[in-house]
């Protein structure tokens, strides 16, 4: 597969550098220290709009000129940002239309960042103009390997600009007010609209009784679509001007994993390479981190992505900002590479001295020396990446299993009034992802538009919103021999969040061979139970009460008035099978169940499962690369099924040899070509 840039010959290593926050006499010392740390790429100009444009018609690039010149002379590549993530104070004072309004109707003043209304004419005018000026000025720098538009786009706005733009968006989508009234079911509670200007934004001033719960889900879901597209247009406008001036430089912006406000599947269509910032919480498991990497690879259609940011030590914004223990920075960096990253980058190069990120980790700490633990770890990893060279660049993950994820479905489920406030879409995705992760089964995360023909297994937990045509996609997949797994609260509504009448699970009913009559929501401490292959498991959160319409019943409830009603069903449909899991259960159940399903599908794990050992595979024209990641505090061993060579230790292995992975350690085994 082609690399994102022909200027890149290895996994790029570096990250955000903000020299404008420091006196110039420190810059030379930074160059020396960063080269010693084996850094080779710097992300520049992320938050410099106020410096670059001190007034409406005045632009001053003198400081950035010096930085760009110094960085080039010292041999660094550059990921150059457009600096439009935070507008200047003068702009907010002169043009208040640029400021956002919060969900509760509160009008923002200047402050923070991401405070620009995405539908502000002022923001559109000046952000595009700045991007154009930067591109024209630095277009001949041959060390620029990527453009970085703005920074971590996000948030929502509920101002008058957005309300007017929302009406225009709706008119374009629905054409007539009658079509809109039908899609939103406005006959309910006398909500019929007669003119477009009667429509108001869905927030705490109108349709919401809580932040995440709406009285008119169709309106709220449409607004979330509109907001995501509005912010995307901000990105696209800068993209277009950059591409017109520097057509050969790839363009990206840093995404944020499972970020609810923006539909990244749509965004990725307009990114030359997907990049993202990995900041897991202290409680996140290795599987949760891996799932975010796989989502970022998935939104990009399976192509390699860029790890744009991670902390080398501690974050600053979590309730408890624990340090990464020795070895964990290296381990998590290679975990990103194992799941598809062609970069290892950090925020930040040098710790700032003031404001909210002064305690966020950095390669160069406030001590300003090379004598810290973090600096030594960064330097050592940089040496390894030099040794690794270009071998893994452009490599992909070949998977036969896929998990379906859709932002529209996420929005619709979690703004719904019922069935349970504890039902969280991402949690249900994770239950199934985690099981395959522990079984060492490679998988892709796919969306509504992705082709399913390469997969043997498709898992779609809580497929509440069954968009028009997607049932046909599933039907074809199963008829042709695929295995489909879905769960409770699936097939309920269409893309407008209107119930699909005729019995649940709606358009999936014939594929699954069941009719779901009722849905019981259990409080947090309550459980039913079922037995699967001789072992009892809990039934939690939701219990669908269903009837077989041709499907085989594999397990039944054991308590309450719906005892003996199906929990797990399996339906033969064409050449394939469709499973329905009518409840949430335990981690042990998901591994047991999906282990059996994978065997039926002919899907094998890369290696035998071992607690704490993560296994992944990437492939390119250079060969196949087996990643072994030890998340435990003890040495692990695993038997290699094929001969290969350890790239980090320069050791040859025969098939059947044991590979040792030290505590928090990593092995990358290049398997012999022509096998597998």
């Amino acid at each position: 597969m082609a690399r994102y840039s022909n200027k890149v010959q290895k996994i790029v290593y570096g990250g955000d550098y903000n020299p404008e926050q420091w006196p110039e006499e420190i810059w030379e010392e930074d160059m020396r220290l960063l080269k010693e740390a084996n850094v080779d790429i710097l992300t520049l100009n992320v938050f410099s709009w106020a410096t670059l444009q001190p007034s409406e018609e005045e632009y001053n690039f003198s400081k950035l000129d010096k930085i760009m010149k110094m960085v080039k002379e010292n041999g660094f590549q550059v990921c150059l940002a457009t600096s439009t993530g935070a507008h200047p104070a003068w702009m907010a004072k002169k043009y208040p239309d640029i400021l956002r309004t919060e969900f509760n109707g509160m009008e923002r003043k200047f402050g923070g960042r991401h405070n620009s209304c995405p539908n502000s004419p002022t923001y559109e005018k000046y952000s595009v103009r700045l991007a154009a000026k930067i591109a024209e000025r630095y277009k001949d720098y041959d060390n620029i390997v990527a453009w970085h538009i703005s920074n971590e786009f996000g948030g929502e706005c509920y101002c008058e600009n957005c309300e007017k733009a929302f009406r225009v968006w709706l008119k374009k989508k629905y054409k007539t007010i009658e079509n809109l009234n039908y899609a939103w079911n406005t006959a309910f509670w006398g909500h019929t609209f007669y003119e477009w200007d009667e429509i108001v934004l869905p927030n705490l001033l109108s349709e919401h009784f809580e932040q995440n719960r709406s009285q008119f889900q169709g309106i709220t879901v449409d607004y979330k679509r509109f907001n995501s597209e509005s912010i995307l247009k901000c990105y696209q406008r800068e993209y277009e001007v950059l591409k017109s001036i520097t057509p050969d430089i790839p363009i990206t912006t840093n995404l944020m994993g499972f970020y609810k406000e923006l539909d990244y599947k749509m965004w990725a269509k307009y990114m030359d390479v997907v990049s993202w910032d990995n900041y897991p919480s202290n409680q996140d498991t290795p599987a949760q981190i891996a799932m975010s990497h796989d989502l970022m690879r998935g939104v990009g259609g399976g192509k390699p992505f860029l790890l744009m940011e991670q902390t080398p030590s501690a974050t600053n914004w979590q309730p408890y900002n624990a340090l990464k223990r020795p070895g964990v920075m290296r381990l998590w960096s290679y975990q990103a590479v194992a799941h598809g990253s062609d970069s290892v980058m950090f925020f930040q190069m040098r710790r700032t001295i003031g404001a909210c990120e002064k305690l966020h980790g950095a390669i160069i700490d406030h001590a300003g020396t090379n004598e810290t633990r973090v600096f030594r770890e960064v330097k050592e990893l940089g040496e390894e990446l030099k040794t690794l060279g270009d071998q893994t660049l452009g490599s992909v993950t070949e998977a036969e299993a896929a998990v379906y994820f859709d932002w529209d479905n996420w929005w619709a489920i979690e703004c719904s009034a019922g069935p349970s406030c504890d039902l969280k879409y991402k949690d249900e995705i994770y239950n199934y992802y985690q099981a395959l992760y522990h079984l060492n089964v490679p998988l892709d995360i796919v969306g509504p538009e992705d082709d399913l023909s390469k997969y043997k297994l498709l898992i779609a937990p809580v497929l509440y919103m069954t968009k028009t045509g997607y049932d046909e996609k599933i039907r074809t997949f199963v008829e042709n021999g695929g295995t489909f797994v879905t769960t409770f609260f699936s097939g309920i509504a269409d893309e407008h969040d209107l119930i699909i009448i005729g019995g649940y699970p709606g358009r999936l009913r014939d594929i699954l061979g069941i009719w779901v009559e009722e849905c019981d929501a259990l409080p947090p401490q309550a459980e039913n139970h079922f037995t699967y292959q001789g072992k009892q498991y809990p039934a939690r959160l939701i219990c669908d009460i269903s009837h077989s319409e041709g499907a085989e019943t594999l397990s039944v409830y054991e308590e309450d008035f719906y005892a003996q009603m199906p929990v797990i069903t399996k339906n033969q449909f064409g050449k394939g099978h469709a499973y329905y899991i009518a409840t949430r259960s335990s981690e042990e159940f998901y591994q047991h169940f999906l282990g059996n399903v994978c065997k039926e599908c002919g899907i094998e794990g890369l290696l035998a499962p071992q607690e704490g050992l993560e296994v992944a595979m990437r492939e390119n024209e250079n060969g196949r690369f087996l990643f072994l990641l030890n998340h435990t505090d003890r040495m692990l061993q695993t038997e290699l099924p094929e001969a290969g060579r350890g790239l980090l230790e320069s050791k040859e292995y025969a098939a059947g040899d044991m590979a040792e992975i030290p505590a928090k350690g990593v092995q990358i085994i290049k398997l012999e070509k022509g096998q597998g």
Side-chain angles (χ1 to χ4, degrees), residues 171-235:
K171 196 169 184 178
K172 183 178 179 181
K173 178 174 182 175
Y174 290 109
K175 312 300 183 193
T176 69
I177 201 78
E178 291 77 17
N179 290 341
L180 177 140
N181 280 317
Y182 172 78
W184 286 358
N185 193 37
T186 57
F188 179 76
W189 283 1
H191 262 54
T192 301
F193 294 104
Y194 304 96
E195 302 290 342
W196 295 99
D197 62 4
E198 295 165 356
I199 298 167
V200 298
L201 303 182
N203 62 0
L204 284 175
L205 300 179
S206 57
E207 303 297 357
H208 278 251
F209 51 94
E210 292 178 10
Q211 173 85 37
N212 295 316
R213 303 186 79 195
S214 172
Q215 297 165 108
F216 268 82
Q217 289 84 32
I219 303 177
T220 296
V221 170
D222 264 345
Y223 192 74
K224 289 184 177 296
R225 289 167 172 151
F226 160 77
N227 180 75
S228 180
E229 290 181 27
S230 294
I231 298 177
L232 174 58
K233 284 181 180 178
C234 297
Y235 167 86

Side-chain angles (χ1 to χ4, degrees), residues 471-484 507-513 549-551 570-579:
D471 60 304
E472 285 298 332
K473 204 166 188 175
I474 295 170
R475 193 170 282 106
T476 299
F477 171 76
V478 179
E479 283 180 329
N480 290 338
T483 296
F484 175 60
R507 299 168 184 150
L508 307 176
R509 189 168 169 177
D510 63 320
I511 305 170
L512 294 161
E549 294 182 330
K570 177 182 180 181
N571 190 48
Q572 183 164 349
F573 190 80
K575 298 177 183 177
H577 296 92
Y579 287 90

